[in-house]
């Protein structure tokens, strides 16, 4: 490569071409060019040396119209042929130059053979009608259904869904269930028991009144008598245990239950980000559990871990809480990162730009998230070295976050974006989370952080991250995966109206809080005097809150009205209403109880997309199949599923009684201990597989695949231990454990 090629060329260029960074802009445009276009752009020359004509392609309700420019071409020299879905237009323009009598100084007009072939997005009817003129040939091709880019144009938009990782993660990795279904049930019932226990405080001791972070010594018995904080401390330990069990279960599921051929670099981003979240939970939950355990001992048994007068340290609580508390932010937002990373490529009609960068940046965020907690404590009197270290860590974590934002923007760049409600929420997620992230970077500067601490600037930043990031991301996922769960769409019209109410109301509510915080409006103040000058922006925030509430109400109405409309007029949405890219869309909507039968074999990073699309001779994507033709039918019977069990319920019910015993009387703990032992022993003695256990829609456990069946996978997709493989129509499955 010549060195001068890296420098701008100015001689002989127009003024527009000499604009700064023009060459860079052209290269960026090339980089982000939409390579998923079904109708490739023509260059000046074809590979065979013929000239390429320029065309317009448009569709009507009944036909596809292709218009080609052929100036100066005689009608008799035009040939139009149609073979299957391949349209070819040929023409010849003869030269009219008189070489002997004219001295040409410039020749730009094209002469010779013109040719353009393109693959149509459907198998066209043989009948075609064409009109010709001196300059233009128009070809009208009759078709009952025109499919552009895999979307059936019938005048109907499409919608989507949110679902928890417990449901979605096994689907995305090609598994029938999580690794340990009975442990999964235990996690559910422990969470429900802990939540009910927590809320009984309203009847038995009042609510916790120490704020959501319960700073010591305010959370001690001296300043917070009663049982409200006791319920807080014990209830969160119970709920935390449920989260810990669930996180370990999902980690094992991703590691051991992936479909054959699904290597680490073929896992969808939603599953990847969920996996990072589970590791965050596995390391963060024990920290807050220790803090809550110490707080319980301080309050109920006279310990002095946080009592400064008796040798304890109140700052110990702050450190333990924020070591958990800041990763908790990413625990909430990280799944939304993955969901949006799966949604944006679908509605941009492009693969995710920089897939591995998205994954590595998520891992980096999870790792760095444990090293920034102390920026919440700059006002507590930390030393300069500690402040410097945590300031640098806070600034550093912005880098992988910015990488994700750039990846999402690059994915949309040059794409044919479909503005569904899911896509609108996804785009708003990117914008709002960027604002929240930029306001968070200011906490990396100790001087600014100290000024902003305990002001409404923090409230604004926090909600732009949590609501603008987490909630908007989950709303996008709700619309996107809704048909997968329930088998019908949410209304696009109502959804778009609700979206604008939510987005405008959110910004009107929390945007002004940035200003209020910088003006010195403190948190946790009952009322503010008129002379302080906070009334105007608080009034705006109040109007915004009501606006956002209307948006939420419209969303709930959308769920209800869509259900009623589906009951009155059921519409089959098919397995893949979005022309999606990940494998959960290769099974029917709604999802069968057993997910997959047989277990799929994965060959590409976007397996569902590659089942529907191939490439033509020029390397351009072209549809080769409809998902209805290649998807599983969902009508299998006799598929193995875990047997039902009451033991997880019995075991989980023991924990609230133990909690009541800690707070009121140890005899409750004795009862809880008895229930725990009964559930534990029953769990051990219960058969791992009950052949008499029934499953709705299935006929027991007749299907017993051979464990030693082997199958050859495509090269580079060797099956790992425990992978499911298909042999001559028989599926050998590592059956889901009933642990």
């Amino acid at each position: 490569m010549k060195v001068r090629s890296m420098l701008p060329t100015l001689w002989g260029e127009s003024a527009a071409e000499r604009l700064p960074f023009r060459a860079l802009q052209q290269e960026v445009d090339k980089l982000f060019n939409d390579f998923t276009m079904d109708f490739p752009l023509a260059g000046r020359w074809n590979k065979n040396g013929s000239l390429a004509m320029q065309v317009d392609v448009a569709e009507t309700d009944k036909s596809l119209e292709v218009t080609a420019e052929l100036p100066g071409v005689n009608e008799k020299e035009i040939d139009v042929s149609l073979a299957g879905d391949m349209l070819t237009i040929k023409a010849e323009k003869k030269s009219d130059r008189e070489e002997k009598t004219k001295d040409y100084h410039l020749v730009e007009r094209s002469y010779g053979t013109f040719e353009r072939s393109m693959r149509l997005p459907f198998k066209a009817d043989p009948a075609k009608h064409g009109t010709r003129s001196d300059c233009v040939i128009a070809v009208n091709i009759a078709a009952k259904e025109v499919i552009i880019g895999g979307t059936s144009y019938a005048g109907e938009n499409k919608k989507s869904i949110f679902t928890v990782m417990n449901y979605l993660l096994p689907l995305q990795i090609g598994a029938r269930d999580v690794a340990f279904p009975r442990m999964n049930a235990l996690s559910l019932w422990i969470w429900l028991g802990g939540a009910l226990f927590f809320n009984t405080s309203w009847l038995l001791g009042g609510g916790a009144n120490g704020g959501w972070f319960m700073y010591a010594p305010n959370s001690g018995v001296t300043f917070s008598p009663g049982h409200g904080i006791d319920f807080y401390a014990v209830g969160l330990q119970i709920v935390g245990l449920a989260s810990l069990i669930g996180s370990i279960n999902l980690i094992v599921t991703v590691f051991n239950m992936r479909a054959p051929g699904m290597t680490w670099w073929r896992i969808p981003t939603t599953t990847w980000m969920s996996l990072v979240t589970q590791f965050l939970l596995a390391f963060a939950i024990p920290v807050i559990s220790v803090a809550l355990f110490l707080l319980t001992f301080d309050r109920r048994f006279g310990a002095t871990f946080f009592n400064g007068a008796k040798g304890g340290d109140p700052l110990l609580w702050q450190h333990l809480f924020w070591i958990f508390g800041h990763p908790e932010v990413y625990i909430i937002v990280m799944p939304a990162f993955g969901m949006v990373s799966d949604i944006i490529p679908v509605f941009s009609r492009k693969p995710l730009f920089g897939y591995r960068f998205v994954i590595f940046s998520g891992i980096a965020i999870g790792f760095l998230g444990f090293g920034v907690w102390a920026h919440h404590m700059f006002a507590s009197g930390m030393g300069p070295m500690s402040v410097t270290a945590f300031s640098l860590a806070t600034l550093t974590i912005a880098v992988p976050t910015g990488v994700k934002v750039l990846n999402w923007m690059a994915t949309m760049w040059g794409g044919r974006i479909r503005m569904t409600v899911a896509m609108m929420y996804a785009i708003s997620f990117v914008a709002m989370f960027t604002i929240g992230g930029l306001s968070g970077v200011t906490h990396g500067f100790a001087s600014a952080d100290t000024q902003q601490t305990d002001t409404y600037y923090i409230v604004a930043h926090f909600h732009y991250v949590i609501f603008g990031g987490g909630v908007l991301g989950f709303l996008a996922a709700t619309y996107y995966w809704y048909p997968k769960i329930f088998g019908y769409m949410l209304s696009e019209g109502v959804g778009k109206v609700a979206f604008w109410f939510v987005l405008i109301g959110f910004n009107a509510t929390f945007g002004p809080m940035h200003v209020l915080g910088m003006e010195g409006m403190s948190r946790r103040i009952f009322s503010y005097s008129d002379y302080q000058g906070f009334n105007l922006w608080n009034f705006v925030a109040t109007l915004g809150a009501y606006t956002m509430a209307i948006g939420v109400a419209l969303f709930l109405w959308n769920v209800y009205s869509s259900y009623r409309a589906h009951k009155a007029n059921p519409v089959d949405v098919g397995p893949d209403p979005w022309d999606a890219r990940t494998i959960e869309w290769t099974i029917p909507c709604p999802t069968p109880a057993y997910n997959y039968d047989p277990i799929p074999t994965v060959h590409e990073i976007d397996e569902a997309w590659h089942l529907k699309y191939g490439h033509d001779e020029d390397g351009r994507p072209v549809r080769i199949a409809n998902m209805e033709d290649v998807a599983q039918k969902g009508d299998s019977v006799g598929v193995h599923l875990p047997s039902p069990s009451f033991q997880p319920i019995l075991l989980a019910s023991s924990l609230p009684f133990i909690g009541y015993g800690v707070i009121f009387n140890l005899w409750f703990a004795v009862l809880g201990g008895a229930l725990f032992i009964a559930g534990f022993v029953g769990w051990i003695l219960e058969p791992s597989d009950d052949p008499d256990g029934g499953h709705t829609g299935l006929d027991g456990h007749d299907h017993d695949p051979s464990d030693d069946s082997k199958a050859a996978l495509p090269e580079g997709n060797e099956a790992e231990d425990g992978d499911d493989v298909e042999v001559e129509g028989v599926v050998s499955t590592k059956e889901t454990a009933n642990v």
Side-chain angles (χ1 to χ4, degrees), residues 153-172:
Y153 283 77
E156 181 181 356
N157 295 323
K158 309 183 188 294
K159 327 102 216 128
S160 39
I161 169 217
F162 154 66
T163 170
V164 295
M165 288 304 113
N166 226 311
Y167 167 84
L168 186 56
L169 189 147
L171 284 179
Q172 288 208 318

Side-chain angles (χ1 to χ4, degrees), residues 7-20:
L7 303 175
T9 303
L10 302 179
W11 181 262
E13 292 183 347
S14 65
E17 292 172 331
R18 292 195 299 268
L19 292 174

Side-chain angles (χ1 to χ4, degrees), residues 108-285:
E108 291 185 341
R109 297 173 63 194
S110 299
Y111 297 87
T113 302
F114 289 81
E115 183 176 348
R116 185 71 183 275
S117 297
M118 65 185 68
R119 193 175 300 277
L120 302 178
F122 61 91
K123 297 291 185 182
D125 292 341
K128 62 181 184 290
H129 309 280
T131 60
R132 297 173 172 85
S133 69
D134 183 57
C135 299
V136 176
I137 177 173
V139 181
N140 186 285
I141 304 170
K144 297 179 180 180
E145 184 182 33
V146 179
I147 300 177
I148 305 290
T151 301
S152 176
Y153 283 77
E156 181 181 356
N157 295 323
K158 309 183 188 294
K159 327 102 216 128
S160 39
I161 169 217
F162 154 66
T163 170
V164 295
M165 288 304 113
N166 226 311
Y167 167 84
L168 186 56
L169 189 147
L171 284 179
Q172 288 208 318
I173 65 173
R176 289 183 181 157
D177 205 337
V178 294
F180 307 122
R182 199 176 295 174
M183 291 288 290
N184 204 32
L186 178 64
S187 175
L188 168 67
W189 295 116
I190 290 178
W191 169 82
L192 181 60
L196 293 174
F197 171 86
F198 189 97
N199 283 279
T200 56
S201 65
W202 301 107
L203 302 174
L204 302 177
N209 57 359
W212 79 279
F213 37 61
M214 283 298 163
Y215 274 177
N218 288 340
S219 56
V221 176
T222 303
F223 299 99
S224 297
H227 294 302
I229 294 181
D230 295 326
F231 277 95
Y232 168 94
V234 178
L236 288 187
Q237 290 182 72
I238 298 174
V239 174
L241 178 61
S243 298
L244 190 61
I245 294 173
S247 67
I248 295 173
N249 199 354
L250 291 178
I251 291 172
V252 175
T253 299
V254 176
F255 272 78
N256 290 346
M257 305 295 290
R258 303 193 309 274
M262 181 165 284
T263 63
W264 287 105
W265 300 120
R266 294 172 183 170
I267 297 176
T269 52
T270 299
T271 297
W272 255 116
M273 295 301 100
S274 177
L275 179 63
V276 175
T277 302
Q278 307 316 313
F279 276 105
L280 291 177
L281 280 167
F283 286 101
I285 291 295

Side-chain angles (χ1 to χ4, degrees), residues 700-714:
H701 299 273
D702 303 332
H703 186 64
D704 186 19
S706 174
D707 291 333
D708 58 356
S709 300
K710 303 292 182 181
L713 295 176

Side-chain angles (χ1 to χ4, degrees), residues 331-351:
I331 289 171
I332 297 172
V333 176
M334 194 72 71
F337 286 170
M339 293 171 176
V340 168
S341 299
D342 277 344
I343 293 171
I344 288 178
V346 172
F347 298 111
S348 297
R349 300 289 300 150
K350 291 177 60 181

Side-chain angles (χ1 to χ4, degrees), residues 345-393:
V346 172
F347 298 111
S348 297
R349 300 289 300 150
K350 291 177 60 181
L352 178 64
F353 182 87
Y355 165 81
R356 296 199 179 191
F357 282 94
V358 173
I359 304 306
F360 282 125
S361 63
I363 297 172
I365 291 172
F367 180 79
L368 294 172
F370 281 97
V372 300
W373 79 85
H375 71 227
H376 296 272
M377 301 172 56
F378 285 167
S380 65
M382 299 175 60
M385 292 300 296
S386 297
V387 170
T388 301
F390 286 101
S391 293
L392 291 174

